[in-house]
Amino acid sequence: MNEKPKLTFWQIWNMSFGFLGIQYGFGLQQANMSPIFRYLGADEASIPGLWLAGPLTGLLLQPIIGAVSDRSWSPTWGRRRPFILAGALLGSIAMIMMPNSSAVWMAAGLMWILDAGLNSAMEPFRAFVGDMLNEKQRPVGFAVQSFFVGFGQTLANLMPYILPLLGISMVLSDDQLANGIPNSVRYPFYIGAASILIAVFWTMRTTKEYPPENDDYKKAHVFSEEEKKSISFWHLALAVGAAILAFGFAYFSGGLANGLKWGFGILIGGYLVLMLPVFKEILAPLSTMPTVMRQLWWVKFFTWYGLPLMWQYLSLATAKYAFNAPDAVSNPTGFEEGTKWGGLCFAMFSISCAVVSFFIPRIAKAIGSNRATHALFMCLGAAGFFMTLISNDKMIYLAGMTIIGFMWGSIMSMPYLMLAEAVPQEKMGVYMGIFNGFICVPQFIGMLTVPLFYKTLLGDDPRNALVLAGVCMLLAAASCFLVKEAK
């Protein structure tokens, strides 16, 4: 394979600029979906289940898009760009409709559509780095994407503070009384829809993908006997695993009969869906995935079992302890202020992510180990979560989230860098998609298990959920040393 040419910094910037819009959308979702569900009357303990859309759409869509795009090419549109554009359009539509939800079920449904769009666009951006950059420039490519993660989410979280400076009223108007969602949530979603499209169109306009070196991508893949065995094993294993998860969710929401109905239905339906040809391209590499990718599983498992608790409960913990507002009914003013402060905390989280992103490659070079660098940042993040126990003062939450943002910068770059160095170039898309499945499965397990002990072990307390997230980050840090890396 020919060595890829060295790109300028601004070429890398333009290549990743669309990631800014995608992460603006994710930032709005992460900071606002739990409050939106609460505005619409959802029970606090049910919040993790309502976030099911994210991991499920990521688990299904990202590997599919990775596999399909690996075997696609258009002289006009390229390989990854059509999927980025389609995802951006779908996500923008959902963002416009989200703050106009009239019931919990409607907001949950729109969240599925929003996640489908954002996930469809995000995976090709990850593969872009492997496609367009040589080995020496990949750390810079992932660092730029990590910067855009922080910057996009910063803009999303600061919108309730920026819009009043532009003369836009944040006061709840009469036409909003039906669902109670204030302008401080409503307008950022509208702006987000436009931002996604503008940023993605910029990348479409400025970046041309390299054409394939040969026509091998057009040829139908002939599976070896080992690959056929892998397909058969994972076909059944994934169908059974999905059925068990479906049974668990349905059982706890509707009893044994409901659990059996959904479990059996998902078993049959999942098995039939996995028979589609596109899934063979995904299932075959599972048994032959690189050793580094297998070892990264435990790092991702503990990270993504605990991390969703931050998005689900940070704003609720801030409102409850710093503003004396456990819900939107007992203290509506305090709850809105607490939610806004939670958004500011996420903004500081994103700012620190953006700032540290360009230093992470230098830090890793100075330490001399990618895994040790990532473990260090995971420990910093754990300390940030534990800080929430120190005081009820709102500044504690701001300081803690600033420290956690350093960890987020590493999460968005170091695991992908370790993976990109280990996977074959021609399967970059499908392996990046499967790797993002490592994010989704732990979230499923968390959504199924956290409600079981939220009112007992966690004392029905959102702050204790943040402490649990800190414990998970320490376990992820320890798991980094299971990963073998080249000297």
Side-chain angles (χ1 to χ4, degrees):
M1 181 175 293
N2 296 328
E3 177 71 13
K4 296 183 179 67
K6 183 177 181 180
L7 301 186
T8 67
F9 174 80
W10 292 112
Q11 286 176 309
I12 299 174
W13 176 278
N14 290 333
M15 180 185 80
S16 301
F17 190 76
F19 209 62
L20 171 64
I22 302 303
Q23 292 303 319
Y24 183 102
F26 273 120
L28 287 176
Q29 179 199 73
Q30 291 160 359
N32 291 287
M33 284 313 304
S34 286
I36 285 176
F37 289 140
R38 291 290 275 157
Y39 278 121
L40 296 173
D43 180 68
E44 195 172 275
S46 69
I47 294 295
L50 292 170
W51 280 73
L52 180 64
L56 183 59
T57 53
L59 182 64
L60 292 176
L61 284 178
Q62 293 202 22
I64 293 175
I65 290 171
V68 173
S69 62
D70 278 345
R71 301 181 62 79
S72 302
W73 173 255
S74 165
T76 302
W77 293 98
R79 169 168 288 151
R80 316 291 182 187
R81 294 188 303 162
F83 300 94
I84 295 174
L85 181 59
L89 290 170
L90 185 62
S92 296
I93 294 171
M95 295 206 76
I96 293 173
M97 298 177 65
M98 181 67 75
N100 297 298
S101 301
S102 58
V104 173
W105 66 266
M106 183 176 178
L110 287 171
M111 189 174 176
W112 284 73
I113 298 174
L114 175 61
D115 261 298
L118 297 181
N119 276 293
S120 297
M122 186 172 70
E123 193 282 334
F125 271 112
R126 294 294 189 196
F128 247 164
V129 175
D131 289 344
M132 303 291 291
L133 300 179
N134 58 44
E135 186 174 345
K136 291 182 179 179
Q137 287 196 300
R138 283 176 184 170
V140 177
F142 284 119
V144 170
Q145 286 195 355
S146 185
F147 169 79
F148 280 132
V149 170
F151 188 56
Q153 293 181 348
T154 299
L155 289 178
N157 292 306
L158 287 179
M159 276 297 152
Y161 298 91
I162 294 174
L163 293 179
L165 300 178
L166 302 177
I168 299 176
S169 174
M170 295 290 100
V171 178
L172 191 67
S173 57
D174 292 338
D175 64 329
Q176 295 171 312
L177 294 178
N179 65 5
I181 298 176
N183 285 338
S184 59
V185 174
R186 187 177 298 265
Y187 287 131
F189 272 82
Y190 298 154
I191 295 172
S195 299
I196 291 173
L197 293 177
I198 292 171
V200 165
F201 275 121
W202 180 265
T203 291
M204 299 294 102
R205 177 69 178 81
T206 59
T207 302
K208 300 296 183 183
E209 298 181 72
Y210 298 134
E213 295 184 351
N214 52 53
D215 292 335
D216 287 349
Y217 73 96
K218 295 180 180 179
K219 300 176 182 177
H221 182 73
V222 179
F223 296 104
S224 65
E225 290 301 317
E226 182 181 358
E227 287 177 322
K228 290 178 181 178
K229 291 178 181 178
S230 173
I231 292 171
S232 298
F233 171 78
W234 286 106
H235 189 172
L236 180 60
L238 291 177
V240 171
I244 292 172
L245 289 173
F247 171 82
F249 280 111
Y251 172 75
F252 291 115
S253 63
L256 179 61
N258 192 50
L260 291 173
K261 177 180 69 176
W262 277 97
F264 184 74
I266 293 297
L267 175 64
I268 300 301
Y271 191 85
L272 293 176
V273 169
L274 289 172
M275 292 177 67
L276 295 174
V278 67
F279 286 105
K280 292 183 179 180
E281 300 279 348
I282 300 168
L283 298 178
L286 284 176
S287 292
T288 57
M289 70 176 68
T291 301
V292 169
M293 189 171 175
R294 296 173 185 272
Q295 294 164 340
L296 281 167
W297 157 254
W298 290 109
V299 179
K300 303 292 277 186
F301 174 80
F302 289 116
T303 300
W304 286 97
Y305 185 93
L307 204 56
L309 297 170
M310 176 185 70
W311 291 301
Q312 294 161 5
Y313 289 109
L314 186 280
S315 294
L316 302 181
T318 306
K320 181 175 182 177
Y321 285 99
F323 293 87
N324 194 30
D327 55 61
V329 176
S330 61
N331 185 356
T333 301
F335 189 79
E336 182 177 355
E337 288 301 314
T339 299
K340 287 174 63 178
W341 189 262
L344 184 62
C345 290
F346 277 113
M348 288 304 300
F349 160 86
S350 303
I351 289 171
S352 59
C353 168
V355 170
V356 80
S357 295
F358 289 112
F359 295 97
I360 288 177
R362 296 182 182 180
I363 294 171
K365 186 175 181 179
I367 293 176
S369 168
N370 290 335
R371 68 179 186 179
T373 302
H374 191 52
L376 171 64
F377 280 102
M378 297 305 291
C379 290
L380 283 176
F385 282 117
F386 295 146
M387 281 181 64
T388 59
L389 291 174
I390 295 176
S391 169
N392 291 343
D393 190 283
K394 63 183 182 181
M395 298 305 296
I396 288 294
Y397 291 90
L398 196 67
M401 288 299 288
T402 302
I403 295 173
I404 295 168
F406 297 145
M407 175 190 71
W408 184 235
S410 183
I411 290 173
M412 289 291 100
S413 57
M414 295 308 295
Y416 295 96
L417 177 58
M418 287 186 274
L419 178 68
E421 294 173 347
V423 302
Q425 175 69 38
E426 66 275 9
K427 294 185 178 180
M428 184 68 69
V430 68
Y431 275 124
M432 281 292 180
I434 294 172
F435 194 57
N436 280 300
F438 287 10
I439 295 174
C440 304
V441 173
Q443 291 184 70
F444 278 127
I445 297 173
M447 290 173 182
L448 183 62
T449 57
V450 170
L452 299 181
F453 55 78
Y454 181 77
K455 293 185 178 181
T456 53
L457 181 63
L458 300 182
D460 202 14
D461 190 337
R463 188 166 62 179
N464 288 340
L466 301 180
V467 174
L468 174 59
V471 173
C472 290
M473 298 309 111
L474 290 179
L475 293 172
S479 300
C480 289
F481 295 98
L482 298 175
V483 180
K484 295 181 180 180
E485 56 185 357
K487 294 182 181 181

